[in-house]
Amino acid sequence: MHVNTASDSEFRSVEEELDQSVFVVDAASYEDFTAQLEAPAQNQEGRERLMATKPEWSGDHECG
């Protein structure tokens, strides 16, 4: 009996490929999107609060 075994790195490689998404947009939409990504943060206080929030799955967040 032949058993095909793949290494962990092969599984990760396939998972990484499956996680990728492709968005097809026109040039104007792409330019607008990249301009928004590269623009400085407009709400610095809100950004700092967001970045200080611990995700629930980290196990070290504070409850309510």
Side-chain angles (χ1 to χ4, degrees):
M1 179 167 109
H2 180 265
V3 177
N4 186 8
T5 57
S7 68
D8 287 342
S9 62
E10 290 173 317
F11 281 122
R12 280 193 297 271
S13 176
V14 170
E15 287 177 353
E16 288 172 6
E17 286 182 36
L18 294 175
D19 280 344
Q20 296 178 8
S21 299
V22 175
F23 296 93
V24 180
V25 296
D26 58 71
S29 296
Y30 178 75
E31 291 297 324
D32 183 49
F33 176 71
T34 55
Q36 290 179 44
L37 286 177
E38 294 171 356
Q42 297 295 313
N43 181 352
Q44 190 64 29
E45 180 182 320
R47 181 184 181 282
E48 289 171 3
R49 188 173 59 246
L50 174 66
M51 297 306 291
T53 302
K54 300 286 185 192
E56 292 182 18
W57 59 86
S58 70
D60 59 352
H61 68 286
E62 295 179 18
C63 295

